[in-house]
């Protein structure tokens, strides 16, 4: 079974600093994908970034980048120039193959990020 | 384009009561999913559907049933609610089999069972 581990329950960062949120995973499937979602206090799930196991380059989306180290089985999210609005829960998730091509997501327990002014 | 919507937003049930949660999407997505999120935890998959009339179990299916009679709707039923089913329920959908397709989530339903 696939597993996602986020070892940082909470992080506190000063505004404008960069922050790295850790995610390690465990799978025996050579083809997999990793997602990061943001959940603000309002509760909705917001997709941030995706990394495929065969992607040659680390994924980037604006201020978000993914530090993908396949040999270490880690997929850390890097947020550059943090903003107050980045305060939220962040979840790392792995795609697990389901019936007829469905992609079941397995989530980590999340990291609560607080940006201080 | 409303995306993924969920009805109701909040509900309080007594132990043993039944209810149905409705998820609707207007993006013509084939795949739909139901997750639950307990306090301080990540989401866990309950059931999912790969198209009209076809559903499958996820990680935590016990105590729930689902139906997908129309492509745009995915229903989650609790036949006899238990306090352990107190949670926030999220519905999600995705367009197809592509691995990098993100799942679009609804706003969630907060259910309390007393």
């Amino acid at each position: 079974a696939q597993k996602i581990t986020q070892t940082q329950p909470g992080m506190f960062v000063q505004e404008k600093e960069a922050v790295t949120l850790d995610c390690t995973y465990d799978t025996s499937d050579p083809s997999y994908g990793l997602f990061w979602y943001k959940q603000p206090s309002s509760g909705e799930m917001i997709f941030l970034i995706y990394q495929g196991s065969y992607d040659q380059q680390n994924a980037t989306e604006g201020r978000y980048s993914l530090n993908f180290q396949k040999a270490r089985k880690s997929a850390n999210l890097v947020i550059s120039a943090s903003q107050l609005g980045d305060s939220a829960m962040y979840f790392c998730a792995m795609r697990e193959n389901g019936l007829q091509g469905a992609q079941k997501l397995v989530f980590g327990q999340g990291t609560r990020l607080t940006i201080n002014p | 384009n409303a995306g993924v919507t969920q009805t109701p937003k909040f509900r309080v049930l007594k132990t043993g009561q039944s209810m149905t949660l409705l998820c609707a999407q207007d993006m013509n997505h084939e795949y739909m999913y139901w997750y639950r999120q307990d306090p301080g935890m990540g989401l866990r998959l309950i059931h999912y559907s790969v198209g009209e009339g076809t559903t499958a179990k996820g990680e935590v299916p016990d105590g729930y049933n689902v139906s997908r009679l129309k492509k745009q709707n995915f229903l989650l039923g609790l036949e006899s609610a238990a306090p352990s089913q107190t949670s926030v329920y999220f519905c999600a959908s995705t367009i197809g089999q592509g691995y990098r397709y993100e799942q679009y989530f609804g706003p969630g339903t907060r259910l309390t069972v007393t």
Side-chain angles (χ1 to χ4, degrees), chain A residues 8-21:
Chain A
Q8 305 153 310
M11 286 194 68
F12 296 85
V13 174
Q14 287 298 118
E15 190 179 8
K16 299 182 183 177
E17 288 184 352
V19 57
T20 298
L21 304 181

Side-chain angles (χ1 to χ4, degrees), chain A residues 31 35 37 39 43-45 47 50 52 55 91 95 97-110, chain B residues 31 33 35 37 40-43 45 48 50 54-57 90 94 96-103 105 107:
Chain A
S31 175
F35 297 79
Y37 280 86
Q39 186 177 43
E44 72 267 32
M45 297 292 289
F47 167 74
Y50 170 83
D55 291 346
F91 292 99
R95 183 197 72 233
N97 295 323
L99 179 70
Q100 295 179 25
Q103 46 150 307
K104 304 185 294 181
L105 292 182
V106 177
F107 284 83
Q109 291 197 311
Chain B
Y31 298 83
Y33 307 80
Y35 295 88
Q37 184 180 26
M41 295 184 65
L43 282 67
L45 182 65
Y48 64 101
V50 301
T54 305
T55 63
K57 294 180 181 180
F90 287 95
T94 191
Q97 295 187 20
Y99 287 164
R100 57 183 66 246
Y101 291 136
E102 68 191 85
Q103 292 191 10
F105 282 84

Side-chain angles (χ1 to χ4, degrees), chain A residues 12-18 63 80-87 114-117:
Chain A
F12 296 85
V13 174
Q14 287 298 118
E15 190 179 8
K16 299 182 183 177
E17 288 184 352
R63 292 188 300 114
S80 63
S82 58
Q83 303 170 356
L84 296 178
D86 293 334
S87 294
T114 303
I115 307 298
N116 295 317

